[in-house]
Amino acid sequence: MEYIVLILICLVFLIMLWFILELNIKRLKKTGEDKELDSLTKDFPENIDICKNILNKLGNDNVTIKEEKDTKTSLYVVVTNTITIANIRDSYTRIQTVAHECIHSIQSKSMLWFNFIYTNIYMLYFLVVSILTLFNIITNPSIFLYVLIVMGMVHYFIRSMLETEAITKARYVAKEYLEENNICEKEEINRIISKYDLLNNMGIKLVNLDILARNFIKIIIFGLIAII
């Protein structure tokens, strides 16, 4: 019974947060699409050049940069100290996206390494206890469920801090890059930044809910396994 109650609580909170935060995926996608701004930023420097410029501005010149045209996800990997830029050449959001990953590269290395190592331990723990419970090797899963909940709270706290900081600061770094390099008019810069503000307002909420939801889903899955 306790597992059913916990599953219901997780589902209710996720649904409640979705409506409280007033998230709208269609509106977010629409905000991220602007053909006029896209055509404007096509004349900007290449993504790798933008990345090098921003990294230099941030005082970090020891990062490996690569561009992957077959992926839509840009990311910074602390293990290899590498920024991978996705296929975003035709999007006006690319300045802020590149700035976001550059900011990740200068965040606290202890937090970045902890997030990397802890996330893998967290995933491994979830998989192991789920399998052991499924095959009745773990006969009293309650304590393992409590540990999973606490691990999820720690994971959310660290990941949320890293992502929220990167999203928040990327807007300002992107604006400084556009102003300092004189690659478009002031009015055009203001239009781009105003769109970034709209994206970030929704993006911060969505990213945090996504991190929380992934942790809740693990709890729900383990709870269902425990019921079986």
Side-chain angles (χ1 to χ4, degrees), residues 79-173:
V79 179
T80 57
N81 194 30
T82 301
I83 290 176
T84 300
I85 305 172
N87 184 13
I88 51 173
R89 183 68 179 82
D90 298 329
S91 174
Y92 78 91
T93 63
R94 66 191 180 100
I95 310 296
Q96 181 172 245
T97 300
V98 171
H100 179 105
E101 302 309 328
C102 289
I103 290 167
H104 274 315
S105 75
I106 63 167
Q107 287 177 316
S108 166
K109 286 296 184 286
S110 59
M111 283 187 66
L112 290 168
W113 272 104
F114 177 83
N115 176 66
F116 175 78
I117 296 170
Y118 183 84
T119 299
N120 283 282
I121 293 173
Y122 177 39
M123 285 297 300
L124 182 62
Y125 173 83
F126 167 68
L127 290 172
V128 170
V129 297
S130 296
I131 292 170
L132 293 178
T133 303
L134 183 63
F135 289 97
N136 293 321
I137 297 173
I138 293 177
T139 56
N140 185 14
S142 295
I143 184 65
F144 297 95
L145 177 59
Y146 299 146
V147 172
L148 184 66
I149 292 171
V150 174
M151 290 183 75
M153 291 170 61
V154 174
H155 176 265
Y156 171 78
F157 178 75
I158 297 297
R159 184 69 185 277
S160 175
M161 286 184 63
L162 291 170
E163 291 300 330
T164 301
E165 180 187 28
I167 294 172
T168 304
K169 290 183 177 180
R171 179 261 193 208
Y172 297 97
V173 172

Side-chain angles (χ1 to χ4, degrees), residues 8-228:
L8 290 175
I9 289 172
C10 288
L11 290 172
V12 168
F13 270 108
L14 283 177
I15 295 170
M16 184 176 67
L17 286 171
W18 179 270
F19 285 103
I20 290 174
L21 296 175
E22 298 179 328
L23 294 173
N24 188 317
I25 301 298
K26 288 184 178 180
R27 187 173 64 181
L28 181 63
K29 287 183 177 180
K30 186 176 180 180
T31 304
E33 297 173 353
D34 190 312
K35 292 183 178 179
E36 189 175 344
L37 291 181
D38 288 346
S39 62
L40 171 67
T41 54
K42 280 182 180 179
D43 297 327
F44 288 2
E46 296 297 322
N47 292 327
I48 290 180
D49 293 328
I50 294 171
C51 191
K52 287 179 180 178
N53 187 299
I54 293 176
L55 284 171
N56 183 62
K57 177 181 176 60
L58 296 174
N60 187 13
D61 57 0
N62 64 346
V63 181
T64 301
I65 308 166
K66 61 181 182 178
E67 192 167 12
E68 296 286 349
K69 299 188 182 298
D70 296 328
T71 181
K72 294 183 179 180
T73 304
S74 299
L75 72 160
Y76 169 72
V77 180
V78 68
V79 179
T80 57
N81 194 30
T82 301
I83 290 176
T84 300
I85 305 172
N87 184 13
I88 51 173
R89 183 68 179 82
D90 298 329
S91 174
Y92 78 91
T93 63
R94 66 191 180 100
I95 310 296
Q96 181 172 245
T97 300
V98 171
H100 179 105
E101 302 309 328
C102 289
I103 290 167
H104 274 315
S105 75
I106 63 167
Q107 287 177 316
S108 166
K109 286 296 184 286
S110 59
M111 283 187 66
L112 290 168
W113 272 104
F114 177 83
N115 176 66
F116 175 78
I117 296 170
Y118 183 84
T119 299
N120 283 282
I121 293 173
Y122 177 39
M123 285 297 300
L124 182 62
Y125 173 83
F126 167 68
L127 290 172
V128 170
V129 297
S130 296
I131 292 170
L132 293 178
T133 303
L134 183 63
F135 289 97
N136 293 321
I137 297 173
I138 293 177
T139 56
N140 185 14
S142 295
I143 184 65
F144 297 95
L145 177 59
Y146 299 146
V147 172
L148 184 66
I149 292 171
V150 174
M151 290 183 75
M153 291 170 61
V154 174
H155 176 265
Y156 171 78
F157 178 75
I158 297 297
R159 184 69 185 277
S160 175
M161 286 184 63
L162 291 170
E163 291 300 330
T164 301
E165 180 187 28
I167 294 172
T168 304
K169 290 183 177 180
R171 179 261 193 208
Y172 297 97
V173 172
K175 184 179 181 182
E176 288 177 7
Y177 171 83
L178 291 170
E179 291 174 340
E180 292 174 359
N181 287 275
N182 297 315
I183 51 181
C184 57
E185 300 296 327
K186 185 176 181 180
E187 182 182 345
E188 294 169 336
I189 293 174
N190 290 335
R191 286 178 57 202
I192 292 171
I193 298 303
S194 66
K195 277 298 190 77
Y196 287 172
D197 288 337
L198 289 174
L199 283 171
N200 292 344
N201 182 49
M202 292 183 281
I204 289 175
K205 297 175 184 177
L206 185 61
V207 166
N208 278 273
L209 183 60
D210 178 67
I211 298 168
L212 184 64
R214 291 173 186 270
N215 293 330
F216 274 15
I217 288 170
K218 289 182 179 64
I219 295 170
I220 292 170
I221 292 172
F222 186 75
L224 290 172
I225 292 172
I227 293 172
I228 297 174

